[in-house]
Amino acid sequence: MTADAETALIHTIPVDRIRIANPRSRNREMFAALVDSIASVGLKRPITVRRTSIDEDGPKYDLICGQGRLEAVMALGETTIPALIEDTDEADAYLRGLIENMARRKHTNRDLLTAIRIMEDRGYSSTEIGAKTGLDPSYISGILTLLREGEERLIAAVERGWMPIYLASQIAHSDDFTLQNMLMDAYQEGTLKGPQLLRVRRLIERRKLIGKAYGQKWPGKDQPPSSRRLAQVYQEEVHRQQMLIRKADIGEQRLILLTSALRRLLADEHFRTLLRAEGLLDLPKPLADRLKGEMP
């Protein structure tokens, strides 16, 4: 398309004929800067709209992209704005707006999931969705699996960055016993650190007790627990205690390895001279207690 042809598609339309179909809140400072920029140098890029209907006053439009620019022009008292008019339906326009907004700014979880849901419903594959959103297709595939199963809590954990997508998918398809072993393996491999492991455990317990989705209520306090629930709680506590024991055993083995290595190093006069030269004369008390009386 030539520059003249592209310019011919730009129309000047009244701002009061444009409806913001999916309004978004925005940062006040950034909006003020946008208003100042348009006041100083003018509007650099037209907004994008679609024609929805027509009445005695003329066509009506829905905004596809450019809410900030439209609101800034209105704040400056302008009554018209340059716009590209696209021939598209409401669903495509909504999807287009989501994708373009995500491309320009840090998206919210709700925007991302809504866009992915709409694109899958309209027949896009994981690869095609990844190309449009800039996300890895394997990530899209994992998110779609969690979306289909209503795993809102797991999706939120993935989006916040403290649970990898593969682990969320495993949690969604694992029973209690498998989950305990999987978490222990993740801890030993370093995939989940101490505080992160605790957060994942709390999420799993809340998901089990309340449900996969947000907005679900806690079970009534006056409702007596069933024998099955009591047995489940007992098994969970047994698994938790077993994990603590395994973690304690791992810690003990590492401490033995550390003290053994340190004992051999401290037996070397050259190493001790180096420590004195560097001013490293202290040891952690647990190590000092283990080594006390055993060094030459």
Side-chain angles (χ1 to χ4, degrees):
M1 180 181 294
T2 66
D4 290 340
E6 186 175 1
T7 304
L9 298 177
I10 300 176
H11 304 266
T12 300
I13 61 177
V15 296
D16 61 0
R17 305 295 290 175
I18 304 171
R19 182 177 74 102
I20 301 176
N22 301 288
R24 297 177 177 84
S25 59
R26 55 190 66 255
N27 182 280
R28 292 183 180 180
E29 294 181 359
M30 294 178 64
F31 178 69
L34 177 60
V35 173
D36 290 341
S37 173
I38 293 177
S40 301
V41 300
L43 187 66
K44 298 179 180 178
R45 191 159 55 113
I47 64 173
T48 306
V49 299
R50 73 181 189 94
R51 187 180 286 110
T52 56
S53 62
I54 189 168
D55 59 19
E56 63 275 8
D57 296 323
K60 292 183 178 181
Y61 306 92
D62 272 358
L63 182 70
I64 296 177
C65 184
Q67 179 183 337
R69 283 165 278 159
L70 174 62
E71 292 177 343
V73 166
M74 294 173 67
L76 291 169
E78 299 292 336
T79 57
T80 61
I81 187 171
L84 289 167
I85 302 176
E86 293 192 355
D87 182 18
T88 184
D89 60 30
E90 184 176 4
D92 281 334
Y94 179 62
L95 177 60
R96 165 84 177 278
L98 282 176
I99 293 174
E100 292 197 8
N101 275 283
M102 286 191 295
R104 290 197 305 273
R105 62 177 173 83
K106 180 177 175 58
H107 58 74
T108 64
N109 297 341
R110 186 178 298 277
D111 286 344
L112 174 66
L113 297 182
T114 300
I116 290 175
R117 234 184 238 114
I118 292 174
M119 282 186 275
E120 186 197 25
D121 291 342
R122 297 185 72 82
Y124 289 96
S125 67
S126 297
T127 301
E128 292 170 330
I129 296 173
K132 288 182 175 293
T133 59
L135 299 172
D136 187 85
S138 62
Y139 174 87
I140 295 293
S141 178
I143 287 293
L144 287 174
T145 299
L146 296 177
L147 280 171
R148 295 187 197 104
E149 299 181 7
E151 294 283 2
E152 294 182 11
R153 298 182 187 278
L154 294 178
I155 292 172
V158 172
E159 287 299 299
R160 289 169 187 159
W162 52 269
M163 181 186 294
I165 183 67
Y166 83 88
L167 183 58
S169 299
Q170 289 178 350
I171 290 174
H173 299 96
S174 299
D175 56 29
D176 292 342
F177 181 77
T178 305
L179 270 178
Q180 299 299 330
N181 291 333
M182 181 178 64
L183 291 179
M184 193 64 223
D185 291 341
Y187 177 78
Q188 292 178 354
E189 294 168 359
T191 305
L192 294 178
K193 307 296 183 182
Q196 190 179 13
L197 177 63
L198 293 177
R199 294 178 72 181
V200 172
R201 282 191 57 81
R202 284 196 295 267
L203 182 147
I204 292 173
E205 291 169 0
R206 183 174 290 263
R207 169 180 170 271
K208 187 184 305 179
L209 185 60
I210 307 177
K212 302 176 181 179
Y214 289 109
Q216 295 174 287
K217 298 181 178 179
W218 287 87
K221 294 182 179 179
D222 297 332
Q223 182 180 359
S226 64
S227 57
R228 181 177 180 179
R229 177 56 186 161
L230 289 174
Q232 183 180 9
V233 171
Y234 173 76
Q235 290 175 352
E236 291 171 0
E237 182 62 21
V238 169
H239 288 315
R240 191 178 72 85
Q241 295 293 339
Q242 289 175 341
M243 285 188 67
L244 289 175
I245 292 172
R246 290 181 65 183
K247 287 166 61 177
D249 288 341
I250 292 172
E252 178 68 17
Q253 292 170 10
R254 290 175 177 172
L255 186 58
I256 291 173
L257 179 62
L258 177 61
T259 53
S260 176
L262 187 58
R263 186 177 299 116
R264 296 185 63 178
L265 286 171
L266 291 177
D268 188 329
E269 179 59 33
H270 296 292
F271 184 73
R272 295 201 299 270
T273 301
L274 178 61
L275 291 179
R276 287 194 292 268
E278 295 294 333
L280 302 175
L281 305 177
D282 297 324
L283 282 175
K285 190 174 185 304
L287 284 176
D289 291 341
R290 282 179 171 266
L291 295 171
K292 187 177 180 181
E294 299 182 16
M295 296 303 305

